[in-house]
């Protein structure tokens, strides 16, 4: 979405924005008022972490130990606290990022042990299904996994980032606290 469209959204009252690509985020963050909160929601490569930490206050896609270690290094060097969500591949799709469900508790504890990382929940991108109701079990699985992870680790994980423009209603019914609805708000990528 071009910055001028985002400025119109800010004028209409929106202040929370997500971006899939670090390079695009770098360009847009400085063009909007400082009150805007930026979430990185795409797959994050370790070589992009330095810029991600500089421009985003949330990272939704923490899915491996190497990424936690790089985030720890870069947030400490910058002196900036960042909220993170553990991305889970609930559908087990080889084409998608995300930790396996059985890795989530250990990964959350590893990230929580980092001084400048605040683990606040889980994120998933459900498999695409023509029938929206068919994604409900994936959202339910993430909520149940979050609940189990809280019990196992003692961490408070209030956020569930799940649901996109085509399925967010079902995600909200299953407990989503954050939805990614850029296409519904702004249309497709330009």
């Amino acid at each position: 979405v071009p910055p001028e469209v985002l400025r119109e959204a800010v004028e209409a009252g929106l202040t929370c924005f997500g971006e899939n690509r670090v390079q695009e985020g770098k360009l847009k963050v400085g063009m909007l008022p400082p009150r805007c909160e930026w979430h990185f929601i795409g797959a994050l490569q370790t070589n992009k972490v330095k810029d991600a930490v500089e421009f985003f206050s949330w990272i939704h896609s923490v899915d491996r130990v190497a990424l936690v270690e790089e985030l720890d290094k870069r947030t400490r060097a910058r002196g900036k606290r960042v909220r993170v969500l553990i991305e889970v591949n609930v559908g087990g799709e080889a084409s998608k990022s995300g930790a396996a469900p059985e890795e989530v508790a250990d990964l959350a504890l590893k990230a929580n042990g980092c001084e400048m990382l605040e683990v606040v929940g889980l994120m998933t991108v459900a498999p695409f299904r023509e029938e929206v109701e068919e994604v409900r079990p994936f959202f339910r699985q993430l909520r149940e996994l979050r609940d189990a992870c809280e019990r196992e680790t003692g961490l408070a994980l209030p956020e569930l980032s799940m649901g996109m423009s085509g399925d967010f209603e079902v995600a909200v019914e299953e407990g989503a606290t954050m939805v990614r609805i850029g296409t519904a708000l702004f249309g497709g990528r330009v």
Side-chain angles (χ1 to χ4, degrees):
V1 177
E4 51 276 1
V5 173
L6 294 179
R7 276 195 283 284
E8 290 176 16
V10 171
E11 290 171 15
L14 294 179
T15 58
C16 184
F17 296 98
E19 183 59 68
N20 285 316
R21 297 181 177 114
V22 173
Q23 291 302 106
E24 286 187 31
K26 284 174 63 171
L27 297 173
K28 295 173 187 174
V29 169
M31 296 178 162
L32 295 181
R35 71 179 184 273
C36 293
E37 181 176 73
W38 286 89
H39 294 235
F40 185 77
I41 59 176
L44 183 57
Q45 301 169 353
T46 53
N47 67 341
K48 302 281 187 186
V49 168
K50 182 179 178 185
D51 285 340
V53 165
E54 182 174 345
F55 293 98
F56 297 92
S57 56
W58 290 70
I59 307 287
H60 286 233
S61 50
V62 175
D63 63 353
R64 60 198 182 283
V65 170
L67 183 56
V68 169
E69 291 169 346
E70 189 65 20
L71 281 164
D72 180 43
K73 175 178 145 185
R74 296 301 182 171
T75 54
R76 283 186 295 110
R78 181 119 166 74
K80 180 181 177 185
R81 193 158 177 79
V82 174
R83 292 181 173 162
V84 299
L85 296 146
I86 305 299
E87 182 178 3
V88 186
N89 187 342
V90 292
E93 296 174 281
S95 63
K96 286 197 177 149
S97 301
E102 61 273 10
E103 300 170 336
V104 170
D106 288 341
L107 191 56
L109 285 171
K110 171 84 173 167
N112 190 63
C114 299
E115 176 185 359
M116 302 302 277
L117 299 183
E118 181 182 357
V119 181
V120 293
L122 306 181
M123 183 274 256
T124 197
V125 177
F128 174 77
R129 299 289 190 264
E130 288 290 333
E131 178 57 45
V132 175
E133 273 302 314
E134 292 179 14
V135 298
R136 184 179 298 278
F138 298 103
F139 297 141
R140 183 174 300 131
Q141 180 185 354
L142 189 72
R143 179 178 35 84
E144 291 170 350
L145 180 62
R146 185 270 316 267
D147 295 347
C149 189
E150 284 183 323
R151 286 190 302 274
E152 182 180 336
T153 65
L155 298 174
L157 303 169
E159 304 295 347
L160 287 175
S161 175
M162 57 187 191
M164 297 191 298
S165 293
D167 57 18
F168 73 91
E169 293 99 340
V170 172
V172 169
E173 289 171 3
E174 290 298 331
T177 60
M178 296 181 177
V179 292
R180 299 174 303 277
I181 56 170
T183 300
L185 292 173
F186 303 110
R189 288 185 65 84
V190 290

